[in-house]
Amino acid sequence: MKISSSLLLAALTLVSAGDIHATGGPDKGPGKPDNRELVESNKLRRGLSRTGLLLHGVALQAFADANGKTRAFGTKGHNATVSYIKGLLDRTGYYDTYLQSFPYTFSEGSGTFSADGTDYAAGYFTYGPAGEATGTIVPVNNFGCEQSDFPAEVAGNIALVSRGTCEFGLKVALAGNAGASAIAIYNNAAGNLAGTLGAPSRPDGPYVPAVSLSGEDGTVLLAAAQAGNLQGTVHVDALTEARYSSNIIATTKEGDKNNIVMAGAHSDSVSAGPGINDNGSGSIGVLEVALALTKYKVKQAVRFAWWTAEEFGLVGAEHYVANLSAEEQSKIALYLNFDMIASPNFGYFIYDGDGSTFNLTGPAGSDHIEKTFEDYFRKEARLPSAPSQFDGRSDYGPFLEAGIPSGGLFTGAEGLKTKEEAKLFGGEAGVSYDVNYHEAGDTLANCNVGAWIQNTKAIAHTVAVYARSLAGIPRGAGVLRRRVAIPKSISTNRKFACGGTHNHNVDRI
Ligand SMILES: [Zn+2]
C-alpha cells in the first residue's frame, strides 16, 4: 500500500496550516486531579495515529526537499529534523530533553573522470581530497593493497585499480606514497561503486584525488590502458570539515530512573537522498509512541533517543554509550532499536536476540525482548514475523557491547525477499525489501504505510510492557552483564549500517 497523492496533499495542507499532530500531556493543571492511568499496551496503541505518522513524514520530506534533498548529518535537513522532534517533545512538558551535541568530520564531494576524451560516470569517496590531475592511466598490479603492487610509472600519473581485498583508503594512501597524482578505483562486480576512505587521513600514506568507476567501465579502461598509452583526467570537488551535530535524549520526568526502558532510532539519512524509510520511519514511529505516552503514568522511566550520524558508522549511539559512566549504563534496563520499519517490499523482522537463528546471542534479556515482539505479532497483531540477524549493524551495536539487553524491528534493506518470505508477508520474491535503499527515491512515497503502522504499534506495545514491568529482564545487584563482542568481520566494517550488507555509500572495502 503506497500513499495516495490526495492523502499526501491533505497532509501537506495540514502541515502548512500549522496543525501539527496534536499531542497529549499530563493533565495536571493547578487544582486538577491527576487522573492518568498506568500505561497499558492497548490504550497506548489506540493513541497512535496514521495521520500523525504521515504528517511527521511530510515534515521530514519537506526538510530534505528544502535543503538539497538530503537529511544527512551535518546538513540543514538533518538539523531541521532534530529541531522538529525536540520541539514536539518539549511542548508536552512530559520529558526532560536535551541535545547531546558534538563535532564529527563531515564530508561531501563529487568526481569526474575522462579517458582519451570520453567521459565516464564517476563517484566520490567520502573523505577524499579535492584536486585535478591529468596523465597516463597506469594499471596497478593485484588489488593495490601492497606498496609493491604500484609500478614506478604511476609516479605523476593516474593509478587504475580494482576494488577488493583491502580498504579503499589503503589503496588511495599507497597510491599517494607511490607518487600518483590521482587514483581511479573500479568495482570488482557489475554496477557502480561508492564508498568511504573511512577518515580524512591515515598513516599509510597521503591521500590523492580518488574517483570510483563501475565494474563495466573499469574492465574496458583496464584493457585500453594495458594495450597502450591511455591519457586520463580526474577531477574531484570536495568539502571536509568538522560539523556539530546532536543526539536527542528525552527521559520521562516520572518513573524509576534506576530502571530505565530505552528506545531509539537514527535521525539522519545518507547524503544520496531524503531517507524517509531509512530512517524517517523509525524516528517517526518512536516519536509517535513518545507523544502518545504522555497521557499515561509509567512505573519505569522511559528514555527515547534519536541518534545522529548513524550513516557515518553508528557515530551518535557510540558517542552516547561511550560517555555513560558504569553507573549510568547499569541504570538502562534494556534498549529497543528501530531502523527502517516501512520498507516497500517489507518483512516483519525481529532482531534474533536469543541467537536461535543467527547464532549471535544478545546479553541476557535480549531473548525476552525478542519473545515480547514475537508474541505481540502472533497474538495481538495476528501477523507473521521472522527473525533478523542480530549483528550490531545499527545503533544497538554499542549497547550490545556494553552488555545492555537489546532488541528491535526491521523491514529489510537492499537484500532480496525470498520465496518463503513472499509467501509469509506478501510482496515480491527476488526483489529488494527496499529498492530505494540509500537512494534519492527513499521518499515518503517509498514507505509502506501499513507496515509502518503495524511496527509503530509493536513499538508501543513493547514500550508499554516494559514501562509497566521488567519481569524477564535481569536486574538488580549481582546481575553480571555479559558484554557481547561484535564479530570482527562486522566491527571492522562498522560502516555497514542499517542492516545492509552492501551499504554502498559507506562501504570501506
Ligand atoms: Zn538506517
Side-chain angles (χ1 to χ4, degrees):
M1 175 173 43
K2 295 269 178 109
I3 302 163
S4 74
S5 50
S6 58
L7 182 56
L8 266 182
L9 196 66
L12 271 168
T13 312
L14 278 170
V15 162
S16 59
D19 182 18
I20 302 287
H21 179 58
T23 62
D27 187 21
K28 339 179 251 202
K32 267 190 178 175
D34 183 356
N35 293 327
R36 293 170 309 137
E37 300 166 72
L38 182 63
V39 66
E40 198 262 313
S41 168
N42 265 311
K43 289 175 185 151
L44 186 60
R45 279 182 278 146
R46 279 203 295 275
L48 304 171
S49 105
R50 173 196 180 91
T51 313
L53 291 183
L54 289 175
L55 285 177
H56 302 314
V58 167
L60 266 53
Q61 180 72 56
F63 298 148
D65 289 347
N67 294 288
K69 307 263 177 207
T70 182
R71 297 184 308 105
F73 118 83
T75 67
K76 287 180 180 171
H78 182 245
N79 292 346
T81 302
V82 170
S83 301
Y84 176 81
I85 294 171
K86 182 168 185 295
L88 287 176
L89 295 167
D90 285 344
R91 269 173 38 177
T92 69
Y94 186 81
Y95 295 99
D96 288 319
T97 62
Y98 72 96
L99 296 181
Q100 184 182 35
S101 303
F102 59 97
Y104 195 72
T105 310
F106 173 85
S107 165
E108 68 182 5
S110 60
T112 63
F113 179 87
S114 65
D116 277 356
T118 304
D119 290 335
Y120 293 84
Y124 170 71
F125 287 100
T126 301
Y127 295 129
E132 183 169 276
T134 294
T136 306
I137 296 171
V138 179
V140 173
N141 298 315
N142 306 311
F143 287 98
C145 298
E146 308 278 344
Q147 197 62 62
S148 58
D149 289 344
F150 290 78
E153 303 83 71
V154 300
N157 287 311
I158 298 169
L160 178 68
V161 68
S162 170
R163 174 188 203 175
T165 305
C166 65
E167 294 181 319
F168 301 127
L170 182 60
K171 296 173 199 257
V172 176
L174 294 180
N177 264 343
S181 55
I183 183 171
I185 303 174
Y186 58 90
N187 205 349
N188 54 0
N192 290 335
L193 172 62
T196 177
L197 304 187
S201 65
R202 62 188 290 154
D204 312 272
Y207 283 161
V208 291
V211 291
S212 65
L213 300 170
S214 73
E216 293 87 339
D217 288 346
T219 308
V220 169
L221 288 162
L222 178 63
Q226 284 168 337
N229 185 5
L230 182 68
Q231 294 295 306
T233 297
V234 166
H235 181 92
V236 176
D237 285 322
L239 170 70
T240 303
E241 65 183 17
R243 288 192 181 177
Y244 275 86
S245 183
S246 305
N247 293 326
I248 308 166
I249 311 291
T251 309
T252 53
K253 288 178 176 164
E254 300 171 356
D256 176 1
K257 292 190 177 64
N258 289 318
N259 292 285
I260 298 168
V261 173
M262 197 163 174
H266 73 84
S267 58
D268 63 314
S269 73
V270 292
S271 57
I276 304 300
N277 182 33
D278 183 11
N279 184 33
S281 65
S283 293
I284 289 168
V286 170
L287 175 63
E288 267 293 288
V289 172
L291 294 176
L293 185 64
T294 60
K295 292 197 177 81
Y296 300 97
K297 289 180 178 165
V298 288
K299 182 159 180 292
Q300 269 69 246
V302 181
R303 177 173 297 163
F304 295 100
W306 288 263
W307 310 115
T308 185
E310 189 268 0
E311 300 289 6
F312 271 63
L314 320 185
V315 176
E318 279 188 347
H319 182 84
Y320 174 77
V321 174
N323 284 284
L324 290 173
S325 67
E327 193 193 350
E328 288 166 329
Q329 278 191 15
S330 73
K331 291 179 178 177
I332 300 172
L334 59 98
Y335 173 69
L336 307 169
N337 192 65
F338 305 98
D339 188 355
M340 305 180 72
I341 60 168
S343 302
N345 193 29
F346 67 92
Y348 290 116
F349 297 116
I350 300 169
Y351 295 161
D352 182 32
D354 65 3
S356 63
T357 309
F358 295 102
N359 225 3
L360 185 95
T361 309
S366 306
D367 48 346
H368 193 272
I369 298 169
E370 183 185 4
K371 193 167 181 308
T372 300
F373 279 120
E374 283 174 348
D375 287 352
Y376 171 75
F377 275 96
R378 193 175 64 250
K379 295 177 191 166
E380 302 285 334
R382 297 176 189 272
L383 289 169
S385 70
S388 167
Q389 196 161 5
F390 192 58
D391 54 14
R393 280 181 184 168
S394 181
D395 296 298
Y396 63 97
F399 288 85
L400 291 188
E401 290 175 325
I404 297 169
S406 303
L409 303 174
F410 177 51
T411 49
E414 86 290 2
L416 303 182
K417 186 176 258 187
T418 65
K419 273 185 191 160
E420 296 70 36
E421 289 166 350
K423 246 185 204 168
L424 200 59
F425 301 118
E428 275 187 89
V431 173
S432 291
Y433 304 107
D434 183 353
V435 291
N436 291 302
Y437 176 61
H438 284 184
E439 302 285 352
D442 185 10
T443 61
L444 183 54
N446 182 47
C447 294
N448 184 297
V449 181
W452 197 358
I453 291 169
Q454 292 300 343
N455 280 321
T456 302
K457 288 181 178 175
I459 299 172
H461 172 80
T462 311
V463 166
V465 163
Y466 290 121
R468 287 173 71 94
S469 164
L470 287 173
I473 306 294
R475 294 300 292 160
V479 169
L480 268 186
R481 283 179 157 182
R482 190 175 60 83
R483 292 166 182 268
V484 173
I486 306 295
K488 208 165 172 56
S489 59
I490 293 163
S491 63
T492 55
N493 275 303
R494 255 309 173 60
K495 303 281 170 170
F496 291 144
C498 298
T501 49
H502 296 95
N503 192 344
H504 55 247
N505 287 293
V506 284
D507 279 353
R508 284 176 187 237
I509 293 178

